[in-house]
Amino acid sequence: MKNNNYFPLKSIVVTNQDKLEFLQGIDFPIDPAILPVVEAINKTSIFLTDSSCEGQNGNPYSKHFKYAYVGIGVLYNQISWLEKFAHQIKSTLGEAVDCSLNFSTVSYSVDDDHPNVEVPVFRTFLRVDIYERETFSQVIHFIQKFSEDMPDIKQFIDDSIFQNAEYRVSATVQQNVDGLIAAHIKEDLDDTQLEKCKEEIRALGGEIDDDSIVKISFSDKNRQVEELFRLLTATMKGNMKGFCQINLDDDKNFFNNIRIDLFDDFLLPVISAILQRFFNSPDGKIAEV
């Protein structure tokens, strides 16, 4: 079973105090095999597990996910540390693990036995899939070594700077999204208009299937992907209209493979407009609407 464990119900900035209070209040079980990995993550200065599962371990009748994984969020929105962690664990453990950055803002219950415990998917969290349980000890050792270079939490304790900055950024992003929706969303979107949006995405080198799953990648390591995903997430979060993630390219060793799952086609014109701005600008910066 998936354990959505440990992430405090706070959408803008999760602080060290939030982490301490939430960890002290945990009263639900975590899959025993993955628990040492979860504990190792939570002992680091600025990481906190978002979710976890110990995997089926070869049992196809198990209710668990096929492979074990941990979802890792970061305090004070220090996203660059998630990226560093992903790059280094992939370089160290190779095909034993896979990494993807995920962007979402939906709250959900921890599990069926704890319906009143809600955990938000952090704005940005790292999912690390671990394909063999025999690798758990190596993952734990890697986490412990990596944590030695992580910043001291004391430098982040006064969170007002981060809080205010995040509110300003979020407000700007929402203004951009509102402008894009006003400019591109029509009440009646016919098949011809939808096909035009799909062709625009294909012209950028992307793919889109009949289930409105968009896949697209880029080769410029310096592109500003965080702004892109803030816009995509803000666009799709209302009524859970979709979600997006970016996967680590094994060869290039940076996050460049984008996947967007749309649950409603009416957002496709906005998604197309955002992607065009991202891919047609020199550095991936998305101009204000």
Side-chain angles (χ1 to χ4, degrees):
M1 178 181 294
K2 176 182 177 182
N3 301 128
N4 299 323
N5 50 73
Y6 284 3
F7 231 88
L9 189 59
K10 192 171 185 179
S11 61
I12 301 297
V13 175
V14 177
T15 68
N16 188 55
Q17 187 61 32
D18 293 325
K19 175 179 176 177
L20 295 175
E21 291 177 359
F22 204 85
L23 291 178
Q24 290 171 357
I26 291 298
D27 62 355
F28 49 86
I30 296 171
D31 295 342
I34 199 70
L35 179 58
V37 179
V38 169
E39 291 176 334
I41 291 167
N42 291 331
K43 287 178 181 176
T44 65
S45 61
I46 59 173
F47 285 169
L48 186 59
T49 51
D50 165 84
S51 56
S52 63
C53 179
E54 67 182 15
Q56 294 180 353
N57 198 31
N59 178 9
Y61 302 104
S62 169
K63 294 182 179 180
H64 294 287
F65 282 72
K66 184 175 182 179
Y67 300 114
Y69 82 91
V70 286
I72 308 172
V74 64
L75 305 188
Y76 302 100
N77 289 351
Q78 296 297 297
I79 298 167
S80 64
W81 281 97
L82 291 179
E83 296 177 352
K84 290 177 184 177
F85 182 90
H87 294 156
Q88 292 186 28
I89 195 171
K90 186 66 179 175
S91 296
T92 302
L93 299 181
E95 295 183 357
V97 297
D98 260 327
C99 301
S100 63
L101 283 174
N102 295 261
F103 299 74
S104 188
T105 53
V106 178
S107 296
Y108 49 83
S109 296
V110 170
D111 56 39
D112 294 339
D113 297 325
H114 301 82
N116 297 321
V117 181
E118 287 199 339
V119 181
V121 179
F122 198 47
R123 181 175 60 80
T124 306
F125 69 96
L126 176 70
R127 174 171 170 143
V128 181
D129 291 286
I130 309 168
Y131 294 123
E132 300 290 344
R133 288 192 182 182
E134 290 75 12
T135 314
F136 286 1
S137 60
Q138 297 176 57
V139 171
I140 293 169
H141 178 72
F142 173 83
I143 294 167
Q144 293 168 341
K145 292 295 293 181
F146 183 86
S147 68
E148 294 175 1
D149 296 323
M150 293 177 75
D152 189 327
I153 193 62
K154 291 179 182 178
Q155 67 178 282
F156 300 115
I157 293 300
D158 181 6
D159 71 309
S160 60
I161 296 175
F162 299 95
Q163 187 87 3
N164 293 335
E166 284 298 313
Y167 274 118
R168 287 195 298 271
V169 170
S170 297
T172 301
V173 168
Q174 193 58 56
Q175 289 175 354
N176 281 344
V177 168
D178 291 344
L180 283 165
I181 289 176
H184 296 281
I185 294 295
K186 311 298 180 185
E187 290 186 8
D188 298 313
L189 198 62
D190 60 30
D191 291 341
T192 301
Q193 292 168 315
L194 283 174
E195 189 57 36
K196 178 177 179 291
C197 294
K198 293 179 180 180
E199 287 303 319
E200 290 170 347
I201 292 171
R202 294 185 185 112
L204 297 171
E207 303 173 9
I208 180 167
D209 63 16
D210 292 338
D211 295 322
S212 295
I213 297 176
V214 177
K215 295 180 181 179
I216 195 166
S217 61
F218 55 93
S219 57
D220 183 357
K221 197 171 186 177
N222 296 315
R223 285 192 169 272
Q224 306 295 314
V225 294
E226 184 177 348
E227 182 184 9
L228 169 68
F229 277 95
R230 280 180 181 267
L231 281 170
L232 289 173
T233 298
T235 300
M236 295 186 290
K237 71 179 182 181
N239 300 315
M240 189 52 182
K241 297 300 184 184
F243 67 91
C244 50
Q245 66 177 197
I246 179 167
N247 294 293
L248 189 69
D249 186 299
D250 291 350
D251 296 326
K252 297 184 176 64
N253 197 29
F254 72 100
F255 289 93
N256 71 328
N257 294 318
I258 303 167
R259 174 178 169 135
I260 305 166
D261 289 63
L262 277 177
F263 304 150
D264 198 321
D265 280 341
F266 88 96
L267 282 177
L268 198 57
V270 178
I271 301 303
S272 174
I274 291 173
L275 291 175
Q276 287 183 72
R277 291 177 183 217
F278 177 76
F279 281 93
N280 290 331
S281 67
D283 56 1
K285 291 291 289 181
I286 302 173
E288 293 185 9
V289 296

